[in-house]
Amino acid sequence: MRIHRSFDRPSVKASADWFTGTVWQDPIVDAPDPARIRAVRVAFEPGARTNWHTHPLGQTLHVLAGVGLVQKEGEPVRRILPGDTVWIGPDEKHWHGASANRSMMHLALHEHDETGTHVTWLEPVSDADYGRPPEP
Ligand code: MN
């Protein structure tokens, strides 16, 4: 057993290669093999979001605070609120982030595949795509 103390795990600023705006990541689960589950708490400032991306084994998002947005390619932008849980299927192209004027924090849970990959990053979400009015 190992207890990870929060003060020993500094927040990591997400790479501008894969995110728009300011995003902070706090690791929750980073278990060694043969465990595959990974979990990270992600805090997006207003307007911040991921690039478009896919997950080989899918991903669950659980909103902890704020007002967020999520979109699957070809579908409307959807608003997500604290307590909401989103399942994103394997290889579904999508993005997630804060709304334009409110921050958002979610828990992200996903598994590594046999090559150690849990995400494939794609192009940034354009301001035009990001700015579409969300559906409930
Ligand atoms: Mn994702």
Side-chain angles (χ1 to χ4, degrees):
M1 185 177 83
R2 180 170 177 192
I3 298 176
H4 295 281
R5 298 298 185 182
S6 60
F7 47 76
D8 288 331
R9 303 180 106 186
S11 299
V12 177
K13 197 168 187 177
S15 171
D17 291 343
W18 304 323
F19 292 81
T20 296
T22 301
V23 180
W24 290 95
Q25 297 176 316
D26 291 291
I28 306 292
V29 179
D30 196 11
D33 290 339
R36 292 186 168 192
I37 187 70
R38 298 291 185 275
V40 58
R41 191 178 59 200
V42 189
F44 299 82
E45 290 192 353
R49 66 268 191 180
T50 67
N51 278 16
W52 288 99
H53 61 284
T54 62
H55 304 284
L57 300 176
Q59 182 180 52
T60 295
L61 303 176
H62 182 74
V63 182
L64 300 170
V67 179
L69 299 172
V70 63
Q71 184 183 22
K72 177 182 173 182
E73 186 179 44
E75 296 187 358
V77 178
R78 305 291 297 276
R79 183 178 286 127
I80 49 176
L81 296 169
D84 290 347
T85 300
V86 182
W87 164 247
I88 293 148
D91 299 321
E92 287 184 3
K93 184 176 175 180
H94 70 288
W95 62 269
H96 30 108
S99 59
N101 57 7
R102 285 292 302 272
S103 61
M104 189 274 283
M105 183 164 60
H106 68 42
L107 199 58
L109 306 107
H110 39 257
E111 293 177 284
H112 284 193
D113 67 11
E114 59 282 352
T115 69
T117 299
H118 75 278
V119 60
T120 299
W121 291 109
L122 303 167
E123 70 277 11
V125 178
S126 69
D127 288 340
D129 282 345
Y130 179 75
R132 291 184 208 289
E135 296 193 1

